């Protein structure tokens, strides 16, 4: 079994839905990586003032979107908002193993359990366990973990998969188009439906 490689990139670039749709359109129009970079960074197609942030966001969003195939990319661009946002969370989970683990271990548990919310303690405990069991996470300090937790909360709230309730996140199951759910099952990604929708 391959060892998971965890990343903290979400802390700087959490959801970015509108930017992701713009970059998805470029990919669907046949632009390769260099063309996407030129349009987003050089021509500032994504309308971000700081050139450093423009570069960072372009690279992170592009690397997420290439984890989904043309069918799902088209669904992301054209579907109803709820399904579209779900596909972006799916793409983030596909490209970030630590986020997938969080969704599978913490979010799914909240969806299926009696509690229906994720507390600050749930976030803290998740990262504490990962620090004990993973050499990469063990090197991260308080600031990195805090920013990652904020990034995860941002993704849940911006996607509609959670609602802020004081310091906790109340979880909400998205209504995703059956065509998209069936397709994800067909391509062998049922684990992501379990993590993100609480499927059995």
């Amino acid at each position: 079994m391959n060892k998971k490689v965890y990343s903290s990139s979400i802390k700087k670039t959490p959801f970015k839905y509108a930017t992701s749709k713009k970059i998805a359109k470029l990919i669907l129009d046949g632009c390769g990586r260099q063309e996407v970079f030129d349009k987003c960074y050089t021509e500032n197609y994504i309308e971000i003032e700081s050139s450093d942030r423009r570069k960072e966001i372009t690279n992170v969003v592009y690397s997420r979107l290439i984890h989904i195939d043309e069918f799902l990319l088209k669904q992301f661009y054209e579907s109803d908002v709820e399904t579209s946002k779900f596909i972006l969370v799916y793409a983030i989970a596909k490209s970030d193993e630590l986020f997938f683990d969080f969704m599978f271990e913490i979010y799914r548990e909240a969806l299926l359990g009696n509690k229906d919310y994720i507390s600050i303690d749930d976030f803290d405990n998740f990262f504490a366990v990962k620090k004990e069991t993973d050499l990469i996470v063990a090197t991260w300090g308080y600031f990195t973990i805090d920013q990652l937790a904020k990034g995860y909360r941002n993704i849940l709230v911006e996607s509609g998969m959670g609602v802020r309730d004081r310091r906790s996140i109340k979880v909400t199951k998205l209504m995703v188009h059956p065509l998209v759910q069936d397709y994800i099952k067909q391509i062998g990604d049922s684990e992501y439906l379990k993590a993100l929708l609480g499927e059995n």
Side-chain angles (χ1 to χ4, degrees), residues 54-72:
R54 206 154 64 228
K55 180 179 183 180
E56 183 175 50
I57 289 168
T58 300
N59 285 330
V60 170
V61 170
Y62 183 85
S63 69
R64 288 171 180 170
L65 295 179
I66 59 168
H67 276 82
I68 56 177
D69 62 22
E70 189 175 357
F71 172 80
L72 286 172

Side-chain angles (χ1 to χ4, degrees), residues 31-94:
C31 292
R33 184 175 195 122
Q34 191 57 51
E35 284 177 284
V36 170
F37 186 81
D38 288 344
K39 283 185 178 295
C40 293
Y41 180 72
T42 311
E43 299 173 27
N44 197 14
Y45 168 69
I46 53 176
E47 299 177 42
I48 295 169
E49 198 170 317
S50 160
S51 60
D52 285 347
R53 281 294 285 154
R54 206 154 64 228
K55 180 179 183 180
E56 183 175 50
I57 289 168
T58 300
N59 285 330
V60 170
V61 170
Y62 183 85
S63 69
R64 288 171 180 170
L65 295 179
I66 59 168
H67 276 82
I68 56 177
D69 62 22
E70 189 175 357
F71 172 80
L72 286 172
L73 196 63
K74 198 163 188 290
Q75 292 298 315
F76 167 61
Y77 189 72
E78 295 177 355
S79 282
D80 63 274
V81 172
E82 207 161 333
T83 297
S84 176
K85 287 186 171 182
F86 165 80
I87 293 171
L88 182 54
V89 178
Y90 165 75
I92 295 169
K94 289 272 289 181

Side-chain angles (χ1 to χ4, degrees), residues 4 67-68 72 86-105 107-108 111 161 173-174 176 180-181 183-185 187-200:
K4 291 192 173 192
H67 276 82
I68 56 177
L72 286 172
F86 165 80
I87 293 171
L88 182 54
V89 178
Y90 165 75
I92 295 169
K94 289 272 289 181
S95 61
D96 190 300
E97 294 182 286
L98 185 60
F99 178 69
F100 170 77
D101 281 3
F102 174 80
M103 296 303 285
F104 199 93
E105 295 167 23
Y107 181 81
R108 182 172 192 265
L111 267 185
M161 294 174 77
K173 183 174 179 175
L174 292 181
V176 177
V180 168
Q181 291 192 56
Y183 184 80
I184 289 172
K185 283 177 189 166
I187 61 174
D189 272 356
S190 294
E191 290 295 290
Y192 292 91
L193 297 178
K194 289 180 183 178
L196 307 180
L197 298 177
E199 299 264 306
N200 293 319

